[in-house]
Amino acid sequence: MDHSSTTAHPPPGPLEFLDFAVACGGQLYRTAYLLTGGDPHLAEDLVQEALSRMFVRWRRLSRLENPAGYARTVLVNTFLSQRRRRSSREQVTFEFPEIAVTDHDPALRLTLLRALRDLSAQDRAVLVLRFWEDRSVEETAEVLRLSATAVRSRSHRALNRIRALLGDEFAEHAAADPR
């Protein structure tokens, strides 16, 4: 007698994880791309590391209410821990590979990525979570294990630093932006 039909939900396994990874991989990559200052190779490595950490615990994590949110948290924490161990890392260059861009203003995108890259890892993580991921101050504080006040002050300082780094170059791009 086959009892498999009486089981409401089969235990989560590799196939379900693959579906999860495919569904949220693009968003994780975009976030990782910004966190790494526009380095596509480091972004891919970061996503792979975050997903591999999730795979090891997938049976438990698949039961979470929001596994995609948890994956973003793992991604950011992996990025920050890698930045702390930076002595064995590759050096980031200022050359970007030829990538098809559908932006209205690719020069603005490159300028912003350069400015993001010049921020500290923690400040970059705060800006990416707050303004790219559109997370609240409280959510960002929880992910980064900071107080809400620290997130606000880091956001303020990081935005001022980006404005200073961009200077007249940003004003030119922003004025030319038709949006």
Side-chain angles (χ1 to χ4, degrees), residues 1 3 5 13 35 37 50 55 58 70 111 120:
M1 183 171 180
H3 293 287
S5 62
L35 287 172
F55 180 75
W58 184 245
Y70 186 80
T111 301
S120 72

Side-chain angles (χ1 to χ4, degrees), residues 16-45:
E16 290 176 359
F17 178 79
L18 181 59
D19 293 340
F20 167 77
V22 168
C24 73
Q27 179 63 38
L28 289 175
Y29 176 78
R30 287 185 289 279
T31 299
Y33 186 79
L34 291 171
L35 287 172
T36 60
D39 186 317
H41 305 293
L42 290 177
E44 289 172 359
D45 291 347

Side-chain angles (χ1 to χ4, degrees), residues 81-91:
S81 71
Q82 285 179 352
R83 297 298 294 185
R84 286 184 208 110
R85 295 180 273 133
R86 154 168 220 194
S87 61
S88 63
R89 285 185 23 109
E90 299 174 14
Q91 295 298 316

Side-chain angles (χ1 to χ4, degrees), residues 36-78:
T36 60
D39 186 317
H41 305 293
L42 290 177
E44 289 172 359
D45 291 347
L46 186 59
V47 170
Q48 184 176 12
E49 177 69 22
L51 288 175
S52 68
R53 289 180 183 193
M54 294 218 30
F55 180 75
V56 172
R57 296 178 184 87
W58 184 245
R59 284 198 181 281
R60 185 172 41 91
L61 297 177
S62 64
R63 294 182 185 102
L64 292 175
E65 186 176 317
N66 184 6
Y70 186 80
R72 285 191 300 273
T73 299
V74 169
L75 181 84
V76 171
N77 289 337
T78 301

